[in-house]
Amino acid sequence: MIKIISTLILMGAAVFSYAQVGINTPTPEKELTVNGTMKTKGIVFKKPMEKLGASENYTFIIKSPAPENKITAYNDTFVPNSPAPINIVQFKITCDPSDKDWVNQFDTKINSNKFLVVISSFGFTQPIRTYSADWLTPVPQIFAYSSGGTWKLKADYQGFSPDSALPTGVWTLNLLVYDRSYAKEVNSTQDLKSGTTGAAATPLIQ
């Protein structure tokens, strides 16, 4: 009789070990499914990492550095509207009628302490010409810079301008805005001195 009871207990334990448990959900999808927030002192990932299901395109987990120490999972069902780790922002800026193509400073109001801004692409609505030598090629000066706690934009064909008969020009500036919790900004000043070639003394990223 004792052996039979022991066998039943072991069988029950074996069945239970393969059960799916759901917290705040009646239909768990994994061994443990939590519908809500969860706090834990540590996370151990299975090796190799579990393969995605047939209906899943991607899932990735990001941990921000201290002091946030925040872990966020992104997948098909959760992509925040704003802010996300990487945001795409487009500005269409109409120039002053007298300057035609000059944006000396445009304040995006994007917090430069929290976000890193990179201009990924740009466009201008009007053809540019020079009133000096015809062989000169118009080259735009376009960049984002941090000033006063926000990101500012500058755009100009310095020394060139649209034809005065054309309408006022419009710049389209496409920005990649990275959350600084997940991105690192590395600045380096280099000097070629009297040469035309050079190399960094040490790798900035490796």
Side-chain angles (χ1 to χ4, degrees), residues 83-138:
I86 303 175
N87 304 271
I88 300 175
V89 178
Q90 183 182 87
F91 284 103
K92 290 184 177 292
I93 306 173
T94 302
C95 300
D96 179 84
S98 61
D99 292 317
K100 296 289 187 178
D101 71 315
W102 188 25
V103 177
N104 184 39
Q105 177 181 285
F106 179 82
D107 190 351
T108 66
K109 301 295 185 181
I110 297 174
N111 188 331
S112 58
N113 296 314
K114 186 176 180 181
F115 296 100
L116 178 64
V117 169
V118 176
I119 297 178
S120 61
S121 62
F122 65 89
F124 190 64
T125 55
Q126 307 297 0
I128 301 297
R129 57 165 296 178
T130 177
Y131 293 93
S132 54
D134 292 336
W135 53 266
L136 293 175
T137 301

